[in-house]
Amino acid sequence: MSTTATRPTVQTNLANQIRRYSQMFNIDLNHIPESEYTVSKGGKARTIQSIVAEVVGLNKMVAEILKGNGAGPMPTDEQRAAFEAAFTTRAACQTAITDSAEALARVLESASDEDLAKSEMAPWGMPMTFLEWSNIAVVHVMYHDGQLNFIQSLNGDDQIHWMEG
């Protein structure tokens, strides 16, 4: 048995984070009634449906960027609405979150250090390295999981569920 420690790579770390944080996101989805997925609290807050669509969309976009396919154009309001329409059930949301995170993780695991140093212009006009894109995708899941946590609390659930299943 080797006593040499394996040094983690940035790519492996990011891949593991996107998987872990997406799992935590999905656990939180388990604790919000499906009847709430299309509800806008106060008539102004984003719906879970909208939040899930944004997380899935960014995961997919970053995976395409890392593959060298570019960010592509920002979706129109009509395209965004059509994409969101699929996320009305827990199963649809969780499957899409898991699938998009796994696709991004696989691309990350195959990326070289040179790949992470490449740059891509964001649709909002800001140049970003592939490493920056990857970090944004990982943090983005947790950012929106915080929104799920807030919705949970509005529904009377103040527990942290991340260590479940």
Side-chain angles (χ1 to χ4, degrees):
M1 183 168 117
S2 172
T3 58
T4 305
T6 302
R7 187 175 194 164
T9 66
V10 170
Q11 294 88 332
T12 301
N13 186 291
L14 288 167
N16 288 340
Q17 283 181 307
I18 194 73
R19 287 180 177 116
R20 183 177 321 114
Y21 297 166
S22 294
Q23 180 182 23
M24 292 161 68
F25 188 100
N26 278 340
I27 289 168
D28 284 327
L29 285 173
N30 283 334
H31 293 279
I32 301 172
E34 271 189 44
S35 60
E36 295 284 317
Y37 281 32
T38 59
V39 173
S40 169
K41 297 288 187 181
K44 297 287 181 183
R46 293 181 67 189
T47 64
I48 291 171
Q49 178 182 38
S50 170
I51 292 167
V52 168
E54 183 176 323
V55 171
V56 170
L58 186 73
N59 286 349
K60 288 181 174 187
M61 182 174 74
V62 173
E64 289 303 309
I65 289 167
L66 294 178
K67 290 180 198 174
N69 297 331
M74 292 298 282
T76 65
D77 289 344
E78 293 79 19
Q79 290 168 324
R80 189 175 289 113
F83 186 63
E84 272 184 31
F87 302 116
T88 58
T89 67
R90 180 176 293 116
C93 291
Q94 290 176 324
T95 297
I97 290 289
T98 299
D99 290 352
S100 67
E102 185 58 33
L104 177 53
R106 284 193 308 269
V107 174
L108 279 164
E109 289 169 332
S110 67
S112 68
D113 290 346
E114 293 76 22
D115 290 336
L116 294 182
K118 293 176 184 173
S119 186
E120 171 76 22
M121 185 66 70
W124 50 88
M126 182 175 140
M128 295 171 50
T129 66
F130 286 15
L131 178 58
E132 289 172 313
W133 278 107
S134 302
N135 278 319
I136 281 181
V138 168
V139 172
H140 189 248
V141 175
M142 289 303 288
Y143 172 87
H144 286 295
D145 194 24
Q147 292 176 316
L148 295 184
N149 291 162
F150 187 67
I151 292 169
Q152 281 173 244
S153 71
L154 292 175
N155 287 317
D157 182 353
D158 65 352
Q159 301 300 304
I160 297 172
H161 299 284
W162 291 340
M163 303 324 277
E164 296 175 6

